[in-house]
mmCIF file with all atom_site columns, all heavy atoms in Angstrom:
data_model
loop_
_atom_site.group_PDB
_atom_site.id
_atom_site.type_symbol
_atom_site.label_atom_id
_atom_site.label_alt_id
_atom_site.label_comp_id
_atom_site.label_asym_id
_atom_site.label_entity_id
_atom_site.label_seq_id
_atom_site.pdbx_PDB_ins_code
_atom_site.Cartn_x
_atom_site.Cartn_y
_atom_site.Cartn_z
_atom_site.occupancy
_atom_site.B_iso_or_equiv
_atom_site.pdbx_formal_charge
_atom_site.auth_seq_id
_atom_site.auth_comp_id
_atom_site.auth_asym_id
_atom_site.auth_atom_id
_atom_site.pdbx_PDB_model_num
ATOM 1   N N   . ILE C 1 7   ? 74.908 -61.961 11.323 1.00 98.00 ? 1124 ILE C N   1
ATOM 2   C CA  . ILE C 1 7   ? 74.900 -63.289 10.787 1.00 98.00 ? 1124 ILE C CA  1
ATOM 3   C C   . ILE C 1 7   ? 75.930 -63.403 9.825  1.00 98.00 ? 1124 ILE C C   1
ATOM 4   O O   . ILE C 1 7   ? 76.143 -62.525 8.864  1.00 98.00 ? 1124 ILE C O   1
ATOM 5   C CB  . ILE C 1 7   ? 73.546 -63.571 9.945  1.00 98.00 ? 1124 ILE C CB  1
ATOM 6   C CG1 . ILE C 1 7   ? 72.279 -63.286 10.864 1.00 98.00 ? 1124 ILE C CG1 1
ATOM 7   C CG2 . ILE C 1 7   ? 73.546 -65.025 9.491  1.00 98.00 ? 1124 ILE C CG2 1
ATOM 8   C CD1 . ILE C 1 7   ? 72.113 -64.154 11.965 1.00 98.00 ? 1124 ILE C CD1 1
ATOM 9   N N   . LEU C 1 8   ? 76.886 -64.349 10.025 1.00 98.00 ? 1125 LEU C N   1
ATOM 10  C CA  . LEU C 1 8   ? 78.036 -64.635 9.196  1.00 98.00 ? 1125 LEU C CA  1
ATOM 11  C C   . LEU C 1 8   ? 77.508 -65.392 7.944  1.00 98.00 ? 1125 LEU C C   1
ATOM 12  O O   . LEU C 1 8   ? 76.853 -66.525 8.169  1.00 98.00 ? 1125 LEU C O   1
ATOM 13  C CB  . LEU C 1 8   ? 79.106 -65.448 9.871  1.00 98.00 ? 1125 LEU C CB  1
ATOM 14  C CG  . LEU C 1 8   ? 80.190 -65.988 8.959  1.00 98.00 ? 1125 LEU C CG  1
ATOM 15  C CD1 . LEU C 1 8   ? 81.111 -64.846 8.354  1.00 98.00 ? 1125 LEU C CD1 1
ATOM 16  C CD2 . LEU C 1 8   ? 81.055 -66.951 9.735  1.00 98.00 ? 1125 LEU C CD2 1
ATOM 17  N N   . ILE C 1 9   ? 77.693 -64.872 6.797  1.00 98.00 ? 1126 ILE C N   1
ATOM 18  C CA  . ILE C 1 9   ? 77.385 -65.722 5.553  1.00 98.00 ? 1126 ILE C CA  1
ATOM 19  C C   . ILE C 1 9   ? 78.641 -66.026 4.743  1.00 98.00 ? 1126 ILE C C   1
ATOM 20  O O   . ILE C 1 9   ? 79.049 -65.100 3.990  1.00 98.00 ? 1126 ILE C O   1
ATOM 21  C CB  . ILE C 1 9   ? 76.244 -65.241 4.677  1.00 98.00 ? 1126 ILE C CB  1
ATOM 22  C CG1 . ILE C 1 9   ? 76.187 -63.658 4.551  1.00 98.00 ? 1126 ILE C CG1 1
ATOM 23  C CG2 . ILE C 1 9   ? 74.890 -65.613 5.187  1.00 98.00 ? 1126 ILE C CG2 1
ATOM 24  C CD1 . ILE C 1 9   ? 75.077 -63.114 3.625  1.00 98.00 ? 1126 ILE C CD1 1
ATOM 25  N N   . HIS C 1 19  ? 71.596 -63.333 -2.653 1.00 98.00 ? 1136 HIS C N   1
ATOM 26  C CA  . HIS C 1 19  ? 70.047 -63.163 -2.477 1.00 98.00 ? 1136 HIS C CA  1
ATOM 27  C C   . HIS C 1 19  ? 69.698 -63.397 -0.984 1.00 98.00 ? 1136 HIS C C   1
ATOM 28  O O   . HIS C 1 19  ? 68.741 -62.615 -0.539 1.00 98.00 ? 1136 HIS C O   1
ATOM 29  C CB  . HIS C 1 19  ? 69.291 -64.069 -3.375 1.00 98.00 ? 1136 HIS C CB  1
ATOM 30  C CG  . HIS C 1 19  ? 69.342 -63.817 -4.822 1.00 98.00 ? 1136 HIS C CG  1
ATOM 31  N ND1 . HIS C 1 19  ? 70.513 -64.057 -5.490 1.00 98.00 ? 1136 HIS C ND1 1
ATOM 32  C CD2 . HIS C 1 19  ? 68.631 -63.058 -5.737 1.00 98.00 ? 1136 HIS C CD2 1
ATOM 33  C CE1 . HIS C 1 19  ? 70.454 -63.669 -6.788 1.00 98.00 ? 1136 HIS C CE1 1
ATOM 34  N NE2 . HIS C 1 19  ? 69.331 -62.959 -6.897 1.00 98.00 ? 1136 HIS C NE2 1
ATOM 35  N N   . THR C 1 20  ? 70.341 -64.173 -0.313 1.00 98.00 ? 1137 THR C N   1
ATOM 36  C CA  . THR C 1 20  ? 70.074 -64.472 1.117  1.00 98.00 ? 1137 THR C CA  1
ATOM 37  C C   . THR C 1 20  ? 70.488 -63.189 1.928  1.00 98.00 ? 1137 THR C C   1
ATOM 38  O O   . THR C 1 20  ? 69.796 -62.814 2.861  1.00 98.00 ? 1137 THR C O   1
ATOM 39  C CB  . THR C 1 20  ? 70.804 -65.762 1.639  1.00 98.00 ? 1137 THR C CB  1
ATOM 40  O OG1 . THR C 1 20  ? 70.422 -66.833 0.851  1.00 98.00 ? 1137 THR C OG1 1
ATOM 41  C CG2 . THR C 1 20  ? 70.508 -65.985 3.107  1.00 98.00 ? 1137 THR C CG2 1
ATOM 42  N N   . TYR C 1 21  ? 71.559 -62.582 1.532  1.00 98.00 ? 1138 TYR C N   1
ATOM 43  C CA  . TYR C 1 21  ? 72.121 -61.274 2.134  1.00 98.00 ? 1138 TYR C CA  1
ATOM 44  C C   . TYR C 1 21  ? 70.869 -60.312 2.170  1.00 98.00 ? 1138 TYR C C   1
ATOM 45  O O   . TYR C 1 21  ? 70.584 -59.653 3.177  1.00 98.00 ? 1138 TYR C O   1
ATOM 46  C CB  . TYR C 1 21  ? 73.300 -60.782 1.317  1.00 98.00 ? 1138 TYR C CB  1
ATOM 47  C CG  . TYR C 1 21  ? 73.742 -59.528 1.792  1.00 98.00 ? 1138 TYR C CG  1
ATOM 48  C CD1 . TYR C 1 21  ? 74.804 -59.441 2.737  1.00 98.00 ? 1138 TYR C CD1 1
ATOM 49  C CD2 . TYR C 1 21  ? 73.343 -58.201 1.366  1.00 98.00 ? 1138 TYR C CD2 1
ATOM 50  C CE1 . TYR C 1 21  ? 75.366 -58.211 3.216  1.00 98.00 ? 1138 TYR C CE1 1
ATOM 51  C CE2 . TYR C 1 21  ? 73.803 -57.032 1.784  1.00 98.00 ? 1138 TYR C CE2 1
ATOM 52  C CZ  . TYR C 1 21  ? 74.767 -57.085 2.689  1.00 98.00 ? 1138 TYR C CZ  1
ATOM 53  O OH  . TYR C 1 21  ? 75.309 -55.823 3.192  1.00 98.00 ? 1138 TYR C OH  1
ATOM 54  N N   . VAL C 1 22  ? 70.223 -60.160 0.963  1.00 98.00 ? 1139 VAL C N   1
ATOM 55  C CA  . VAL C 1 22  ? 69.195 -59.166 0.954  1.00 98.00 ? 1139 VAL C CA  1
ATOM 56  C C   . VAL C 1 22  ? 67.976 -59.551 1.908  1.00 98.00 ? 1139 VAL C C   1
ATOM 57  O O   . VAL C 1 22  ? 67.481 -58.670 2.570  1.00 98.00 ? 1139 VAL C O   1
ATOM 58  C CB  . VAL C 1 22  ? 68.593 -59.076 -0.564 1.00 98.00 ? 1139 VAL C CB  1
ATOM 59  C CG1 . VAL C 1 22  ? 67.398 -58.194 -0.644 1.00 98.00 ? 1139 VAL C CG1 1
ATOM 60  C CG2 . VAL C 1 22  ? 69.672 -58.556 -1.544 1.00 98.00 ? 1139 VAL C CG2 1
ATOM 61  N N   . GLU C 1 23  ? 67.638 -60.913 1.828  1.00 98.00 ? 1140 GLU C N   1
ATOM 62  C CA  . GLU C 1 23  ? 66.541 -61.266 2.664  1.00 98.00 ? 1140 GLU C CA  1
ATOM 63  C C   . GLU C 1 23  ? 66.865 -61.175 4.160  1.00 98.00 ? 1140 GLU C C   1
ATOM 64  O O   . GLU C 1 23  ? 65.974 -60.865 4.922  1.00 98.00 ? 1140 GLU C O   1
ATOM 65  C CB  . GLU C 1 23  ? 66.153 -62.698 2.288  1.00 98.00 ? 1140 GLU C CB  1
ATOM 66  C CG  . GLU C 1 23  ? 65.684 -62.959 0.893  1.00 98.00 ? 1140 GLU C CG  1
ATOM 67  C CD  . GLU C 1 23  ? 64.403 -61.999 0.506  1.00 98.00 ? 1140 GLU C CD  1
ATOM 68  O OE1 . GLU C 1 23  ? 63.695 -61.601 1.420  1.00 98.00 ? 1140 GLU C OE1 1
ATOM 69  O OE2 . GLU C 1 23  ? 64.303 -61.670 -0.718 1.00 98.00 ? 1140 GLU C OE2 1
ATOM 70  N N   . LEU C 1 24  ? 68.034 -61.374 4.598  1.00 98.00 ? 1141 LEU C N   1
ATOM 71  C CA  . LEU C 1 24  ? 68.514 -61.273 5.974  1.00 98.00 ? 1141 LEU C CA  1
ATOM 72  C C   . LEU C 1 24  ? 68.234 -59.768 6.365  1.00 98.00 ? 1141 LEU C C   1
ATOM 73  O O   . LEU C 1 24  ? 67.804 -59.530 7.449  1.00 98.00 ? 1141 LEU C O   1
ATOM 74  C CB  . LEU C 1 24  ? 69.859 -61.631 6.150  1.00 98.00 ? 1141 LEU C CB  1
ATOM 75  C CG  . LEU C 1 24  ? 70.157 -63.240 6.148  1.00 98.00 ? 1141 LEU C CG  1
ATOM 76  C CD1 . LEU C 1 24  ? 71.656 -63.401 6.210  1.00 98.00 ? 1141 LEU C CD1 1
ATOM 77  C CD2 . LEU C 1 24  ? 69.504 -63.805 7.400  1.00 98.00 ? 1141 LEU C CD2 1
ATOM 78  N N   . LEU C 1 25  ? 68.737 -58.859 5.543  1.00 97.00 ? 1142 LEU C N   1
ATOM 79  C CA  . LEU C 1 25  ? 68.558 -57.432 5.846  1.00 97.00 ? 1142 LEU C CA  1
ATOM 80  C C   . LEU C 1 25  ? 67.188 -57.085 6.050  1.00 97.00 ? 1142 LEU C C   1
ATOM 81  O O   . LEU C 1 25  ? 66.650 -56.391 6.811  1.00 97.00 ? 1142 LEU C O   1
ATOM 82  C CB  . LEU C 1 25  ? 69.240 -56.615 4.806  1.00 97.00 ? 1142 LEU C CB  1
ATOM 83  C CG  . LEU C 1 25  ? 70.800 -56.097 5.184  1.00 97.00 ? 1142 LEU C CG  1
ATOM 84  C CD1 . LEU C 1 25  ? 71.369 -55.422 3.956  1.00 97.00 ? 1142 LEU C CD1 1
ATOM 85  C CD2 . LEU C 1 25  ? 70.654 -55.164 6.418  1.00 97.00 ? 1142 LEU C CD2 1
ATOM 86  N N   . ASN C 1 26  ? 66.304 -57.606 5.023  1.00 97.00 ? 1143 ASN C N   1
ATOM 87  C CA  . ASN C 1 26  ? 64.839 -57.242 5.106  1.00 97.00 ? 1143 ASN C CA  1
ATOM 88  C C   . ASN C 1 26  ? 64.200 -57.733 6.309  1.00 97.00 ? 1143 ASN C C   1
ATOM 89  O O   . ASN C 1 26  ? 63.170 -57.172 6.712  1.00 97.00 ? 1143 ASN C O   1
ATOM 90  C CB  . ASN C 1 26  ? 64.151 -57.998 3.839  1.00 97.00 ? 1143 ASN C CB  1
ATOM 91  C CG  . ASN C 1 26  ? 64.408 -57.265 2.531  1.00 97.00 ? 1143 ASN C CG  1
ATOM 92  O OD1 . ASN C 1 26  ? 64.936 -56.241 2.494  1.00 97.00 ? 1143 ASN C OD1 1
ATOM 93  N ND2 . ASN C 1 26  ? 64.150 -57.978 1.398  1.00 97.00 ? 1143 ASN C ND2 1
ATOM 94  N N   . SER C 1 27  ? 64.830 -58.735 6.989  1.00 97.00 ? 1144 SER C N   1
ATOM 95  C CA  . SER C 1 27  ? 64.167 -59.442 8.208  1.00 97.00 ? 1144 SER C CA  1
ATOM 96  C C   . SER C 1 27  ? 64.775 -58.900 9.402  1.00 97.00 ? 1144 SER C C   1
ATOM 97  O O   . SER C 1 27  ? 64.614 -59.485 10.530 1.00 97.00 ? 1144 SER C O   1
ATOM 98  C CB  . SER C 1 27  ? 64.331 -60.981 8.032  1.00 97.00 ? 1144 SER C CB  1
ATOM 99  O OG  . SER C 1 27  ? 63.657 -61.464 6.836  1.00 97.00 ? 1144 SER C OG  1
ATOM 100 N N   . GLY C 1 28  ? 65.579 -57.808 9.323  1.00 96.00 ? 1145 GLY C N   1
ATOM 101 C CA  . GLY C 1 28  ? 66.080 -57.291 10.461 1.00 96.00 ? 1145 GLY C CA  1
ATOM 102 C C   . GLY C 1 28  ? 67.565 -57.711 10.948 1.00 96.00 ? 1145 GLY C C   1
ATOM 103 O O   . GLY C 1 28  ? 68.046 -57.332 12.014 1.00 96.00 ? 1145 GLY C O   1
ATOM 104 N N   . TYR C 1 29  ? 68.183 -58.584 10.285 1.00 97.00 ? 1146 TYR C N   1
ATOM 105 C CA  . TYR C 1 29  ? 69.475 -59.035 10.657 1.00 97.00 ? 1146 TYR C CA  1
ATOM 106 C C   . TYR C 1 29  ? 70.501 -58.170 9.927  1.00 97.00 ? 1146 TYR C C   1
ATOM 107 O O   . TYR C 1 29  ? 70.235 -57.519 9.116  1.00 97.00 ? 1146 TYR C O   1
ATOM 108 C CB  . TYR C 1 29  ? 69.667 -60.552 10.173 1.00 97.00 ? 1146 TYR C CB  1
ATOM 109 C CG  . TYR C 1 29  ? 68.842 -61.592 10.752 1.00 97.00 ? 1146 TYR C CG  1
ATOM 110 C CD1 . TYR C 1 29  ? 67.679 -62.108 10.144 1.00 97.00 ? 1146 TYR C CD1 1
ATOM 111 C CD2 . TYR C 1 29  ? 69.072 -62.119 12.130 1.00 97.00 ? 1146 TYR C CD2 1
ATOM 112 C CE1 . TYR C 1 29  ? 66.849 -62.939 10.744 1.00 97.00 ? 1146 TYR C CE1 1
ATOM 113 C CE2 . TYR C 1 29  ? 68.285 -63.105 12.670 1.00 97.00 ? 1146 TYR C CE2 1
ATOM 114 C CZ  . TYR C 1 29  ? 67.166 -63.543 12.080 1.00 97.00 ? 1146 TYR C CZ  1
ATOM 115 O OH  . TYR C 1 29  ? 66.406 -64.461 12.571 1.00 97.00 ? 1146 TYR C OH  1
ATOM 116 N N   . THR C 1 30  ? 71.689 -58.282 10.567 1.00 97.00 ? 1147 THR C N   1
ATOM 117 C CA  . THR C 1 30  ? 72.934 -57.604 9.914  1.00 97.00 ? 1147 THR C CA  1
ATOM 118 C C   . THR C 1 30  ? 73.789 -58.747 9.260  1.00 97.00 ? 1147 THR C C   1
ATOM 119 O O   . THR C 1 30  ? 74.664 -59.215 10.123 1.00 97.00 ? 1147 THR C O   1
ATOM 120 C CB  . THR C 1 30  ? 73.548 -56.731 10.833 1.00 97.00 ? 1147 THR C CB  1
ATOM 121 O OG1 . THR C 1 30  ? 72.591 -55.902 11.477 1.00 97.00 ? 1147 THR C OG1 1
ATOM 122 C CG2 . THR C 1 30  ? 74.596 -55.929 10.195 1.00 97.00 ? 1147 THR C CG2 1
ATOM 123 N N   . PRO C 1 31  ? 73.793 -59.036 7.929  1.00 98.00 ? 1148 PRO C N   1
ATOM 124 C CA  . PRO C 1 31  ? 74.636 -60.004 7.440  1.00 98.00 ? 1148 PRO C CA  1
ATOM 125 C C   . PRO C 1 31  ? 76.144 -59.452 7.282  1.00 98.00 ? 1148 PRO C C   1
ATOM 126 O O   . PRO C 1 31  ? 76.294 -58.384 6.910  1.00 98.00 ? 1148 PRO C O   1
ATOM 127 C CB  . PRO C 1 31  ? 73.988 -60.332 6.163  1.00 98.00 ? 1148 PRO C CB  1
ATOM 128 C CG  . PRO C 1 31  ? 73.179 -59.240 5.846  1.00 98.00 ? 1148 PRO C CG  1
ATOM 129 C CD  . PRO C 1 31  ? 72.758 -58.448 7.030  1.00 98.00 ? 1148 PRO C CD  1
ATOM 130 N N   . ILE C 1 82  ? 75.434 -68.784 8.341  1.00 98.00 ? 1199 ILE C N   1
ATOM 131 C CA  . ILE C 1 82  ? 74.858 -69.505 7.246  1.00 98.00 ? 1199 ILE C CA  1
ATOM 132 C C   . ILE C 1 82  ? 76.118 -69.933 6.352  1.00 98.00 ? 1199 ILE C C   1
ATOM 133 O O   . ILE C 1 82  ? 76.782 -68.899 5.846  1.00 98.00 ? 1199 ILE C O   1
ATOM 134 C CB  . ILE C 1 82  ? 73.817 -68.649 6.318  1.00 98.00 ? 1199 ILE C CB  1
ATOM 135 C CG1 . ILE C 1 82  ? 72.678 -68.221 7.289  1.00 98.00 ? 1199 ILE C CG1 1
ATOM 136 C CG2 . ILE C 1 82  ? 73.153 -69.586 5.264  1.00 98.00 ? 1199 ILE C CG2 1
ATOM 137 C CD1 . ILE C 1 82  ? 71.561 -67.420 6.605  1.00 98.00 ? 1199 ILE C CD1 1
ATOM 138 N N   . ALA C 1 245 ? 66.249 -68.233 -0.794 1.00 98.00 ? 1362 ALA C N   1
ATOM 139 C CA  . ALA C 1 245 ? 66.876 -67.192 0.091  1.00 98.00 ? 1362 ALA C CA  1
ATOM 140 C C   . ALA C 1 245 ? 66.046 -67.045 1.440  1.00 98.00 ? 1362 ALA C C   1
ATOM 141 O O   . ALA C 1 245 ? 66.517 -67.097 2.512  1.00 98.00 ? 1362 ALA C O   1
ATOM 142 C CB  . ALA C 1 245 ? 67.238 -65.818 -0.565 1.00 98.00 ? 1362 ALA C CB  1
ATOM 143 N N   . HIS C 1 248 ? 66.242 -69.690 4.070  1.00 98.00 ? 1365 HIS C N   1
ATOM 144 C CA  . HIS C 1 248 ? 67.398 -69.500 5.046  1.00 98.00 ? 1365 HIS C CA  1
ATOM 145 C C   . HIS C 1 248 ? 67.039 -68.626 6.329  1.00 98.00 ? 1365 HIS C C   1
ATOM 146 O O   . HIS C 1 248 ? 67.433 -69.025 7.405  1.00 98.00 ? 1365 HIS C O   1
ATOM 147 C CB  . HIS C 1 248 ? 68.606 -68.867 4.351  1.00 98.00 ? 1365 HIS C CB  1
ATOM 148 C CG  . HIS C 1 248 ? 69.167 -69.816 3.333  1.00 98.00 ? 1365 HIS C CG  1
ATOM 149 N ND1 . HIS C 1 248 ? 68.608 -69.965 2.049  1.00 98.00 ? 1365 HIS C ND1 1
ATOM 150 C CD2 . HIS C 1 248 ? 70.134 -70.676 3.365  1.00 98.00 ? 1365 HIS C CD2 1
ATOM 151 C CE1 . HIS C 1 248 ? 69.229 -70.789 1.398  1.00 98.00 ? 1365 HIS C CE1 1
ATOM 152 N NE2 . HIS C 1 248 ? 70.300 -71.230 2.136  1.00 98.00 ? 1365 HIS C NE2 1
ATOM 153 N N   . VAL C 1 249 ? 66.336 -67.625 6.011  1.00 98.00 ? 1366 VAL C N   1
ATOM 154 C CA  . VAL C 1 249 ? 65.801 -66.748 7.175  1.00 98.00 ? 1366 VAL C CA  1
ATOM 155 C C   . VAL C 1 249 ? 64.842 -67.559 8.110  1.00 98.00 ? 1366 VAL C C   1
ATOM 156 O O   . VAL C 1 249 ? 64.979 -67.670 9.281  1.00 98.00 ? 1366 VAL C O   1
ATOM 157 C CB  . VAL C 1 249 ? 65.102 -65.487 6.636  1.00 98.00 ? 1366 VAL C CB  1
ATOM 158 C CG1 . VAL C 1 249 ? 64.617 -64.653 7.793  1.00 98.00 ? 1366 VAL C CG1 1
ATOM 159 C CG2 . VAL C 1 249 ? 65.988 -64.687 5.704  1.00 98.00 ? 1366 VAL C CG2 1
ATOM 160 N N   . LEU C 1 252 ? 66.758 -69.912 10.187 1.00 97.00 ? 1369 LEU C N   1
ATOM 161 C CA  . LEU C 1 252 ? 67.463 -69.214 11.402 1.00 97.00 ? 1369 LEU C CA  1
ATOM 162 C C   . LEU C 1 252 ? 66.364 -69.059 12.457 1.00 97.00 ? 1369 LEU C C   1
ATOM 163 O O   . LEU C 1 252 ? 66.693 -69.376 13.538 1.00 97.00 ? 1369 LEU C O   1
ATOM 164 C CB  . LEU C 1 252 ? 68.024 -67.919 10.988 1.00 97.00 ? 1369 LEU C CB  1
ATOM 165 C CG  . LEU C 1 252 ? 69.365 -67.830 10.355 1.00 97.00 ? 1369 LEU C CG  1
ATOM 166 C CD1 . LEU C 1 252 ? 69.705 -66.380 10.212 1.00 97.00 ? 1369 LEU C CD1 1
ATOM 167 C CD2 . LEU C 1 252 ? 70.473 -68.369 11.341 1.00 97.00 ? 1369 LEU C CD2 1
#
Side-chain angles (χ1 to χ4, degrees):
I1124 305 292
L1125 172 65
I1126 35 179
H1136 291 80
T1137 303
Y1138 177 93
V1139 175
E1140 297 306 333
L1141 284 169
L1142 264 174
N1143 286 344
S1144 303
Y1146 294 99
T1147 306
I1199 305 181
H1365 292 78
V1366 178
L1369 274 184

